[in-house]
Amino acid sequence: MPKNQNTFSSLRRRVVNRAVHAGWRWMQRAGAVTAETPGRLRFGAIGPATRLAFPQGTIFGEPWIRLGDHCIIAEQVTLTAGMMPDLDLGPDPMLVLGNGVVLGRGSHVIADTRITIGDDTFCGPGVYITSTNHSYDDPHQPVGKQWPRSAPVEIGPGCWLGTGAVILPGARLGRNVVVAAGAVVRGEVPDHAVVAGAPARIVRRWEPETGWQPPLRTPTPVPIADGVTPGQLRALAELAEAEQRTSQTAGDPA
């Protein structure tokens, strides 16, 4: 193939690539759902500065879904109220997100009975929260055809749910609970606890009298002071690296 034809083909691919990416970014901006731009969705409430990224996952029963202020709902997140669309679920909300809730990409919140998620709870990607689970009582019927069991789910404020965590019907998480990645949680979890495993067990807990038990393995992070600029942070990092190199040199044998 002549060289100029290769050059033209490469240029065309670059132009098409840029156009595709520019078009996708435009679609993401235009397709995001907010209180001002709800599209086809009519939530029971959606607070200011709350945003559902595009593309959205499966969403139905939105009149019984209430979203607080400053929530971040990532791409492909499923939010459902009721077992199927177009049901009348009564006067009370079924799924309630507090202010500042973050749901990571590909998460699912399935509310066949009430689910509440407290303020400032953050969820990693692929978190699954459900108020309904399949039953398997009848050994002669396929599990998927048996009538499910439902129980309310309550997640307290300030929690962190790691990637792939599963919260089962009837779970009640207290304040500032940490759920490890991949953990499967049922039952009650007290305030300031860390749970891990399937089924999840408490692996660390904070008490006012004793602090964290077992003790934390790493020091508490020091917050960045107000007014510190990125340039100052870089300068501090460079100074720390220089001091580390000096100490290593001083420790080398002559």
Side-chain angles (χ1 to χ4, degrees), residues 172-197:
R172 297 187 62 182
L173 279 62
R175 175 183 296 272
N176 285 25
V177 169
V178 175
V179 178
V184 179
V185 182
R186 62 182 306 169
E188 189 161 347
V189 180
D191 295 349
H192 310 296
V194 180
V195 297

Side-chain angles (χ1 to χ4, degrees), residues 160-216:
W160 165 250
L161 279 59
T163 299
V166 177
I167 311 299
L168 293 176
R172 297 187 62 182
L173 279 62
R175 175 183 296 272
N176 285 25
V177 169
V178 175
V179 178
V184 179
V185 182
R186 62 182 306 169
E188 189 161 347
V189 180
D191 295 349
H192 310 296
V194 180
V195 297
R201 297 285 186 268
I202 295 175
V203 296
R204 180 172 278 118
R205 189 175 178 189
W206 182 88
E207 294 285 0
E209 300 80 11
T210 58
W212 285 105
Q213 296 297 327
L216 298 175

